[in-house]
Amino acid sequence: MASRPPDRLKVAPAFWQGLDAVGLTPTAVLRHSRLPASLAADARAQVTTAQYFALWRSLEALSPAPDVGMRLIVGMEPGTLPPAFLAAYYARDLREALTRVARFKALCSPEEMILEEDGASATISLAWPFAGEDAPAALVDAAFASFVELGRRGTRRFIRPLHLELSGTGRDVSGQSDYLGCAVVQGARRNALILHRADLDAAMVSHNPAMLEVIDPHLLRQRQEHLSKVSITDQVRWALKRLLAGQSPDVGAVAQELGLTARTLQRRITEEGGSFRQILADVRRELVRQYLADPALDMNEVAYLLGYDDTNSFYRAFRSLEGTTPARWRSLH
């Protein structure tokens, strides 16, 4: 069985410092969530995803503001941000900044961030690998606000999303709509922030290649330590799921994403008894079933998300794997 990283993470100091912006204290939040009072002061302390969710649910329970998650992020000072976000401000443009956040976010939060570009829009969605329940609404709001704040502060432009999709219903989202400057759609099939793709080209005013050269090795070492308990097969699968949309990544692209050389990656895959081609096929087989189960996705979108050059290539590959057409599979399942 493939190994996975432990469900443990450090709560970023920015979280504790940001509580002041919403009128709360670490002591009050920890007491309500029934977590150790020393957690905020212990730089080495770690929590599980469930405990992390408990902190954010306490935030919701203790604050009267329905947009408390976004308020907390907006009230944060850039200098208190985790290194993964701080380094993003030195990126060349917003696209590179968000890509860097996606790559290093696991160092400070239990969610995975997925950035996908399609046509004139770009979509940021979230996944929670260790979650046994839905993520707290305040945490979802905070995550999306952090990406928008990165864009607004980093480019000094008013980044206005196309819209925000939330899977929950019955919330007062007027504050979120006012902050984002766009519509908030509730009852959606996912939590997702939809941006204008052109905004990703906006230059980051604090772009600093020299600072990246200093920070990157540190972040890469931390990331390798985080991934060290994961099989190389699982690492490749994780990278492919992030890279597949709109392209068919090769070994070199995945190796770069993992901070390895292509030769080293090939060797480690072989040592585990696998092959890159087989891992890619397995990931596509897993994802295609998820995508086909979603009636909102048409076949062109599915082909794009799986990295096929065109719909015909997708149809041929699917038939060879499943022995039937995608449309027939969808109708049966």
Side-chain angles (χ1 to χ4, degrees):
M1 179 179 294
S3 59
R4 299 183 68 184
D7 179 22
R8 308 289 294 182
L9 74 146
K10 295 179 181 179
V11 181
F15 173 81
W16 306 115
Q17 296 166 12
L19 291 176
D20 185 60
V22 294
L24 297 175
T25 65
T27 300
V29 172
L30 286 167
R31 183 185 299 116
H32 186 276
S33 57
R34 298 184 179 181
L35 291 173
S38 60
L39 186 62
D42 187 351
R44 298 174 299 176
Q46 296 182 322
V47 296
T48 63
T49 296
Q51 291 171 328
Y52 191 67
F53 280 11
L55 288 173
W56 285 91
R57 294 199 192 284
S58 292
L59 198 71
E60 295 173 346
L62 296 171
S63 173
D67 58 347
V68 61
M70 286 188 170
R71 288 172 183 259
L72 183 143
I73 295 298
V74 174
M76 285 183 179
E77 293 296 328
T80 67
L81 296 175
F85 267 93
L86 193 58
Y89 281 89
Y90 301 127
R92 180 180 62 256
D93 53 35
L94 183 55
R95 176 182 288 100
E96 182 183 312
L98 290 170
T99 300
R100 295 178 65 80
V101 170
R103 181 174 298 174
F104 297 116
K105 191 167 179 50
L107 299 177
C108 60
S109 181
E111 79 256 22
E112 294 179 356
M113 166 194 167
I114 301 110
L115 174 65
E116 300 169 335
E117 299 181 46
D118 183 18
S121 66
T123 301
I124 299 177
S125 55
L126 304 171
W128 310 87
F130 295 100
E133 57 185 329
D134 291 339
L139 176 54
V140 173
D141 288 350
F144 289 134
S146 69
F147 308 139
V148 175
E149 280 296 293
L150 172 62
R152 291 177 178 176
R153 296 181 183 185
T155 67
R156 293 183 186 168
R157 292 174 47 179
F158 186 77
I159 301 297
R160 186 195 300 271
L162 283 165
H163 63 272
L164 173 66
E165 299 176 1
L166 297 175
S167 60
T169 59
R171 295 177 57 196
D172 177 1
V173 294
S174 57
Q176 290 86 331
S177 181
D178 289 343
Y179 164 73
L180 294 172
C182 68
V184 177
V185 181
Q186 298 193 72
R189 62 184 175 84
R190 59 178 179 175
N191 294 311
L193 182 69
I194 317 301
L195 302 172
H196 293 274
R197 191 175 185 179
D199 284 340
L200 301 188
D201 298 321
M204 300 290 284
V205 296
S206 51
H207 174 45
N208 191 327
M211 285 298 297
L212 289 178
E213 288 183 7
V214 173
I215 296 174
D216 271 358
H218 173 68
L219 289 176
L220 286 169
R221 280 195 301 272
Q222 283 193 314
R223 187 163 174 266
Q224 286 301 320
E225 291 174 4
H226 180 75
L227 292 172
S228 63
K229 297 176 182 177
V230 188
S231 71
I232 196 64
T233 299
D234 278 354
Q235 292 183 46
V236 172
R237 289 174 60 87
W238 172 81
L240 283 171
K241 288 179 180 180
R242 290 194 55 245
L243 296 173
L244 263 177
Q247 59 181 315
S248 182
D250 57 16
V251 173
V254 173
Q256 183 178 6
E257 179 71 14
L258 296 177
L260 303 171
T261 65
R263 179 175 296 182
T264 298
L265 179 58
Q266 286 278 32
R267 175 178 55 79
R268 292 184 61 184
I269 291 174
T270 302
E271 288 174 351
E272 289 189 0
S275 71
F276 180 81
R277 178 177 295 183
Q278 185 58 52
I279 298 172
L280 175 59
D282 290 344
V283 169
R284 278 178 163 159
R285 184 180 293 109
E286 175 188 343
L287 293 178
V288 72
R289 297 185 176 211
Q290 294 178 20
Y291 296 150
L292 289 178
D294 184 351
L297 293 175
D298 62 32
M299 293 305 173
N300 288 329
E301 291 178 291
V302 174
Y304 172 85
L305 291 171
L306 293 171
Y308 288 102
D309 294 332
D310 51 56
T311 307
N312 288 334
S313 298
F314 164 54
Y315 268 71
R316 288 194 297 271
F318 188 87
R319 182 180 284 277
S320 69
L321 288 173
E322 302 291 344
T324 187
T325 66
R328 177 63 175 164
W329 190 97
R330 173 176 271 176
S331 68
L332 290 173
H333 296 85

